[in-house]
Amino acid sequence: MKLHLNCLTPPTTRQSIAFVLIAAIIFCFCLIGILSRPLTFLAIFWPANAVLLSLFLRFPNLSNAGGWLGAFTGYMLADLLTGNHFQLTLFLTFANLINTIISLFFMRYFQVNYHNYNKGFTFLTMIAIIAGGGCLASATFAIFTVPYIPNTFMTTNRLFIDFGMWWITEIMNALIMLPLILSMPTLLEIKNSFRNRRPRALLLNKFFPAIAVALCVLLTSIFTGPGAILYPLAALIWAALSYQLFTLAVINAVVILATYYNLNNFYLADSSVAYLSTAISVRIGLTMLILAPLILCVISRNRHDLFKEVLYLANHDSLTHAMNRRYFFEQGEKYLNSHTELTFSIIMLDIDHFKRLNDQHGHYIGDVVLQRFSDIVRDNLREDDLFARIGGEEFVILLSNIQAEDAHNIAERIRNVVEITPIKVDNTNELFITVSIGINHQNLPDAPNLQYLINQADQALYQAKQTGRNQVVLALA
C-alpha cells in the first residue's frame, strides 16, 4: 500500500487526489456506520473516524486541504443521501472531524511515530492519546450540540448515556481499525514474502488458533447473553501468541463485530430500555476484549524480535555481519554430518597487506575496508553458502553442493571484483585492495573433519601469499 504523492507532484494535483480518495473512503465507511445504527440510537459501529485518523497517520501526504475537504464531503454526503437533515448532519460532521483533528494534534505534539506502534509503549501511548484526546473531545462536543438541534436522535434526558456510548464506541472503533490499517503490509512486503517463502509442508497447527476463535464466535451466536463477551478470550490470547499483528487485527475485528452484533440483538429483542442500560458496559467489555490480545501480541512480537536480534548478535561478527567462528563451525559440522554423496568447497580468504593498510590509514579505514570486503563477498555467494570472519582479516566460505570448477570460478570472481572495486576513504579519496584465496574441494561422505579441511585450505592460502598474493590456489588432494 503506497500512495505516490511525492514532492514533484503539483500541489493542486496532490490535493485533488487526496480529496477524491478520502471523500470516497469516508463516504463508504460512513454508510457502513449508518447501516449499523439501530432504531434511533447511536451507531453500533462507526469506523469512519478511526479510518480517517489511520490514513492521515500512515499517509501524511493525504493530510492536506484536499484531504480534509474530502473527509468533510464524505461525511456530509453519506448522511444527507440517507435522509438526514442538513443542520444535524453538519454538527455530526464537525463532531467526527474533531476526533481526528485532536488526535493528530497530540500525536504530533508528543512526536508519536506510528511506525513504532509495535515497540515499547508506543501503541499504548497512541491509544491513550486517542481515548483521552480525540474521542473525548468528539463525545463532549456532540452532547453539547447535537441534542439541541432540530430533528436530532439524541435527547437531553440521556446525555450521560449518549456521552458514554459515543466515547467508548469511538475508542472501540479505533482499537478495531487502527491496528488493521497501520500494520497492513505493503504490496512490496507481500511480494517479498512470497518471493522469499521456502517450499514446505502445510502446517495445520498454524490454523488451530483461528479455528478455535471461529468456534468461540459461533458459540456467541448460539448461547447469546452477558457471558458471551468472554467466550473468545482464551482463543484470542492463543491467536495473539501465534500470529503477526495484522493477522490478529483481522481476527479481532471479526470477533468483536460478531460478538457486538449478537449482544445488541439480544438486548434489543428484550427492550430499548434493556439495550440502553447495558450498552455502555457491553462496549467497555468489548473494548477490553480487543485491547488485551493486541497488547499481548505487541509484547510477544517485541520479545520474539529481541530474541532474534540477540541470537543474531551471538552468531555474527558485529563489524562485518559475517558469521563468527563458533557459529560457522557449528553450521559447517551440521552440514557435513547431514549430507552424503555431495561435493563442497572450503575457501579461505585473506586481505593482502592489511596490517600496512591499518598503519597507513588508521583502524577506522581498516574497519571500512573489512565491511566493504564482506559486502563484496556476500554479493557473489549463493543464499545457502556459509561465510564467516575467523580472524582479523581472515575469512572462510563453505560452498555447498558445488563442483570444483564452479567453486574456482566463484573464488576468481570474488578476487577480481575486490581488485577492481574502489573503497571510499572520504569524499575525495579512494583506495584499492586485493585478496589471496585458498580452496579445498572435497567429496562427501569421505571428507575429514571441518578443522582439517580448513587447515588444508589455509595451506593453499599460504601458498597464494608466498607466490605473489592476489591469486587463487587450489589445495593438493
Side-chain angles (χ1 to χ4, degrees):
M1 183 187 293
K2 186 175 181 180
L3 298 177
H4 299 278
L5 300 180
N6 54 45
C7 58
L8 298 179
T9 307
T12 53
T13 304
R14 291 202 301 268
Q15 294 192 13
S16 299
I17 294 173
F19 173 83
V20 172
L21 282 174
I22 295 297
I25 292 170
I26 295 303
F27 177 79
C28 292
F29 279 100
C30 283
L31 289 181
I32 293 173
I34 291 169
L35 292 174
S36 77
R37 186 180 292 161
L39 301 178
T40 58
F41 302 122
L42 292 170
I44 290 174
F45 179 51
W46 186 263
N49 300 345
V51 168
L52 181 63
L53 175 61
S54 302
L55 289 174
F56 281 171
L57 283 173
R58 181 154 186 175
F59 308 106
N61 47 19
L62 290 177
S63 181
N64 54 36
W68 285 103
L69 184 59
F72 178 83
T73 304
Y75 283 121
M76 293 291 293
L77 279 178
D79 248 13
L80 292 174
L81 291 178
T82 52
N84 217 344
H85 298 273
F86 179 83
Q87 189 177 359
L88 178 60
T89 296
L90 185 64
F91 277 87
L92 286 173
T93 297
F94 286 143
N96 289 324
L97 288 173
I98 283 172
N99 188 334
T100 302
I101 292 169
I102 298 297
S103 296
L104 274 180
F105 171 79
F106 282 110
M107 291 274 191
R108 289 165 182 171
Y109 180 80
F110 291 110
Q111 299 180 338
V112 179
N113 183 358
Y114 103 83
H115 293 286
N116 298 324
Y117 63 85
N118 61 340
K119 296 180 181 177
F121 293 101
T122 303
F123 180 74
L124 284 177
T125 303
M126 292 173 66
I127 295 303
I129 287 173
I130 293 168
C135 296
L136 183 60
S138 177
T140 303
F141 177 86
I143 64 162
F144 281 110
T145 57
V146 177
Y148 306 97
I149 298 170
N151 305 301
T152 184
F153 55 87
M154 294 172 67
T155 72
T156 55
N157 297 329
R158 58 173 196 241
L159 282 180
F160 177 77
I161 293 177
D162 282 342
F163 170 79
M165 289 175 64
W166 187 299
W167 186 24
I168 198 64
T169 302
E170 285 292 87
I171 297 172
M172 190 175 69
N173 292 332
L175 285 170
I176 292 174
M177 301 307 302
L178 206 71
L180 264 177
I181 295 176
L182 295 187
S183 64
M184 186 178 294
T186 63
L187 291 176
L188 181 60
E189 289 170 343
I190 294 172
K191 289 178 182 177
N192 287 339
S193 67
F194 278 103
R195 188 182 300 118
N196 298 330
R197 185 178 62 180
R198 296 179 181 179
R200 54 185 177 182
L202 184 64
L203 300 177
L204 288 178
N205 58 357
K206 287 199 169 186
F207 295 94
F208 287 162
I211 294 171
V213 170
L215 292 175
C216 291
V217 171
L218 183 61
L219 283 177
T220 65
S221 63
I222 298 174
F223 305 104
T224 306
I229 203 167
L230 291 177
Y231 293 173
L233 181 58
L236 283 175
I237 290 174
W238 189 8
L241 295 172
S242 305
Y243 300 130
Q244 297 289 343
L245 185 58
F246 175 70
T247 305
L248 176 70
V250 174
I251 293 173
N252 241 358
V254 173
V255 169
I256 297 306
L257 293 177
T259 306
Y260 199 9
Y261 175 81
N262 291 329
L263 286 173
N264 276 289
N265 281 347
F266 172 77
Y267 288 112
L268 280 171
D270 187 0
S271 69
S272 60
V273 175
Y275 171 77
L276 282 174
S277 63
T278 58
I280 295 178
S281 64
V282 167
R283 297 181 193 205
I284 292 174
L286 287 169
T287 299
M288 295 298 105
L289 185 63
I290 305 171
L291 190 58
L294 288 173
I295 292 175
L296 183 59
C297 184
V298 169
I299 293 173
S300 176
R301 290 299 102 193
N302 281 336
R303 293 185 63 180
H304 180 262
D305 293 342
L306 180 61
F307 174 76
K308 285 175 62 178
E309 183 178 351
V310 171
L311 188 64
Y312 181 86
L313 291 174
N315 294 330
H316 292 79
D317 174 56
S318 59
L319 178 65
T320 63
H321 299 290
M323 290 180 175
N324 57 28
R325 183 186 183 92
R326 177 196 59 79
Y327 190 53
F328 176 82
F329 271 84
E330 177 185 310
Q331 296 300 308
E333 291 289 359
K334 185 183 296 184
Y335 172 81
L336 296 183
N337 295 331
S338 61
H339 290 80
T340 58
E341 299 179 1
L342 292 177
T343 58
F344 70 97
S345 293
I346 299 290
I347 300 179
M348 289 290 296
L349 309 94
D350 189 289
I351 300 174
D352 296 328
H353 303 298
F354 186 75
K355 184 178 182 305
R356 186 169 67 190
L357 183 149
N358 258 339
D359 293 340
Q360 289 179 352
H361 300 281
H363 289 285
Y364 170 76
I365 299 303
D367 289 347
V368 171
V369 168
L370 289 171
Q371 291 172 331
R372 187 71 188 98
F373 172 78
S374 300
D375 292 340
I376 292 172
V377 174
R378 264 190 297 268
D379 289 343
N380 288 276
L381 295 179
R382 302 166 302 177
E383 184 179 353
D384 295 332
D385 295 331
L386 306 182
F387 171 54
R389 182 186 180 193
I390 59 173
E393 70 274 19
E394 284 192 328
F395 296 81
V396 62
I397 300 169
L398 191 156
L399 299 178
S400 56
N401 192 23
I402 195 169
Q403 299 301 314
E405 182 181 356
D406 295 330
H408 190 273
N409 290 338
I410 289 175
E412 275 291 352
R413 184 169 67 244
I414 291 172
R415 184 202 62 77
N416 181 62
V417 173
V418 168
E419 182 181 17
I420 64 174
T421 301
I423 298 175
K424 287 189 176 181
V425 176
D426 50 43
N427 292 332
T428 56
N429 297 317
E430 298 176 339
L431 58 83
F432 290 84
I433 61 172
T434 58
V435 60
S436 298
I437 300 176
I439 303 179
N440 181 17
H441 189 73
Q442 292 288 335
N443 298 314
L444 287 172
D446 301 325
N449 64 65
L450 186 59
Q451 183 61 65
Y452 177 81
L453 298 173
I454 289 177
N455 291 341
Q456 285 188 309
D458 200 35
Q459 289 297 318
L461 171 63
Y462 178 77
Q463 185 179 348
K465 290 279 191 184
Q466 291 295 104
T467 55
R469 293 185 171 86
N470 190 26
Q471 57 184 297
V472 177
V473 172
L474 180 65
L476 298 176

